[in-house]
Amino acid sequence: MLIAHFFDLVPIWLLLIGTILIMILFIEFGFRLGQRSQSGPKKAQTSQVRAIMGAGLGLLAFMLAFTFSTAQSHFEVRVQSLAEETRIARNAYMQADLLAEPARSQVKRLLRDYIKFRNPLNKIKNPEISQKLDEILEYSEKIQHELWLLVSGRSAESGGKQFDSGANEALMAGVLALTDIHYTRLHSATMNRIPLTIWMTLYLMAALSMIIMGYQAGLTDRRSPVATLTLALAFSAVIILIADLDRPVMSLFDINSQLLVDLDEYMERDLSLEYYPAEPER
């Protein structure tokens, strides 16, 4: 469920190398095709090929700019969702102070565990991405369920007892908001992605542009290996940046989770105060 594209399963360095090789391969194919056309009865017009090459590279640049903008907007949504989740969790934690013991300590410890478990999300490595994300989602939803049972008076700890109505309504709204932002982050990370059709079109446009560029060099029977490698590397680097921005867990970019770290530390300090009863052993 969490892996939307085949690209997500491929390490970013391997994807970069593969893209560069594909670019060079199509340039070489176009060059050899251009060399063969020299001996044909109707030699292609160099000026026409240059015009087509310019149009192809321009269209490829437009596609790259459009796709990069889309990936950047997805990245910004994930950043904003993380900040919003931190704000909601902090508000719910503070609203728990309005409850009486033992509900206050139970709610606060559940919220502390929730934030602590979600904090290392950016440290997940590519080989374990699917397993770790599934584990985080399962544990997060378990805590959300426990919080809801507790604030709604349906848990075994509450014994069916309803808390103060004003405080309980505010906390219930906070727990619902925490659940809502959880699914918002899940949607933005796993479903709000660049469609596979756009990726296929982007690679097709890159391949055709490299072929026509190599073809033009083949017609003149002159080419520069340095220029060929530089162009392949430049277009491949942009494609890889787009792919990494669009991934649920990125390699080259990092969402600053300092807000979660600060909130975790705040909760730890607050729960260490003497007026909270000791946490029961599990």
Side-chain angles (χ1 to χ4, degrees):
M1 180 186 72
L2 296 176
I3 303 301
H5 293 158
F6 166 75
F7 289 157
D8 296 341
L9 300 174
V10 182
I12 199 68
W13 62 268
L14 185 59
L15 190 60
L16 174 61
I17 294 175
T19 303
I20 293 174
L21 292 177
I22 289 174
M23 297 288 187
I24 294 176
L25 178 64
F26 280 110
I27 291 175
E28 182 66 21
F29 174 75
F31 180 78
R32 295 180 182 272
L33 194 63
Q35 282 185 318
R36 291 179 58 186
S37 299
Q38 289 180 349
S39 58
K42 294 183 179 180
K43 184 177 179 180
Q45 296 294 322
T46 304
S47 58
Q48 180 185 13
V49 175
R50 285 179 178 174
I52 296 175
M53 181 181 67
L57 290 175
L59 185 56
L60 176 60
F62 171 78
M63 284 287 298
L64 287 173
F66 169 78
T67 313
F68 187 89
S69 176
T70 303
Q72 174 67 17
S73 66
H74 293 172
F75 175 77
E76 291 174 356
V77 168
R78 294 200 296 270
V79 172
Q80 294 169 1
S81 297
L82 184 142
E84 181 68 8
E85 181 179 57
T86 305
R87 183 190 68 81
I88 292 173
R90 180 182 286 272
N91 289 347
Y93 187 85
M94 296 175 69
Q95 289 165 349
D97 280 326
L98 301 176
L99 301 177
E101 290 293 352
R104 178 177 61 183
S105 298
Q106 293 168 352
V107 169
K108 286 196 167 189
R109 289 194 174 101
L110 283 173
L111 287 170
R112 186 271 315 273
D113 293 342
Y114 183 83
I115 293 300
K116 184 181 292 292
F117 196 77
R118 292 172 74 86
N119 188 26
L121 180 61
N122 294 334
K123 300 177 182 178
I124 298 177
K125 302 303 180 183
N126 220 53
E128 55 188 15
I129 174 176
S130 182
Q131 177 184 354
K132 287 295 184 181
L133 284 177
D134 283 336
E135 183 180 342
I136 288 176
L137 287 179
E138 182 180 357
Y139 189 75
S140 298
E141 292 171 2
K142 176 183 175 182
I143 292 183
Q144 291 167 10
H145 182 65
E146 291 179 3
L147 281 169
W148 179 251
L149 291 179
L150 189 60
V151 300
S152 62
R154 296 166 53 197
S155 68
E157 290 81 356
S158 63
K161 176 184 176 182
Q162 292 289 338
F163 308 119
D164 176 74
S165 58
N168 194 44
E169 287 179 4
L171 189 55
M172 288 176 69
V175 173
L176 288 175
L178 195 65
T179 304
D180 182 65
I181 195 62
H182 163 76
Y183 284 103
T184 298
R185 290 190 66 189
L186 177 62
H187 177 270
S188 64
T190 62
M191 300 179 187
N192 191 22
R193 307 289 303 279
I194 296 175
L196 186 59
T197 304
I198 292 182
W199 280 115
M200 294 173 62
T201 304
L202 185 61
Y203 270 92
L204 177 62
M205 285 300 307
L208 294 177
S209 298
M210 296 304 106
I211 289 175
I212 196 63
M213 193 185 70
Y215 184 80
Q216 192 273 337
L219 287 177
T220 59
D221 203 21
R222 290 184 299 177
R223 63 174 173 176
S224 171
V226 175
T228 299
L229 182 60
T230 301
L231 185 69
L233 182 60
F235 278 109
S236 299
V238 176
I239 291 175
I240 293 308
L241 289 179
I242 295 171
D244 196 57
L245 270 176
D246 194 54
R247 287 185 171 197
V249 178
M250 299 166 292
S251 302
L252 303 177
F253 298 91
D254 185 23
I255 297 179
N256 191 342
S257 59
Q258 188 59 41
L259 288 174
L260 284 177
V261 174
D262 292 342
L263 180 58
D264 182 35
E265 293 176 352
Y266 165 76
M267 291 177 172
E268 288 287 354
R269 289 194 305 269
D270 185 67
L271 287 172
S272 66
L273 298 178
E274 294 182 356
Y275 55 78
Y276 287 109
E279 185 174 3
E281 294 184 1
R282 296 182 180 180

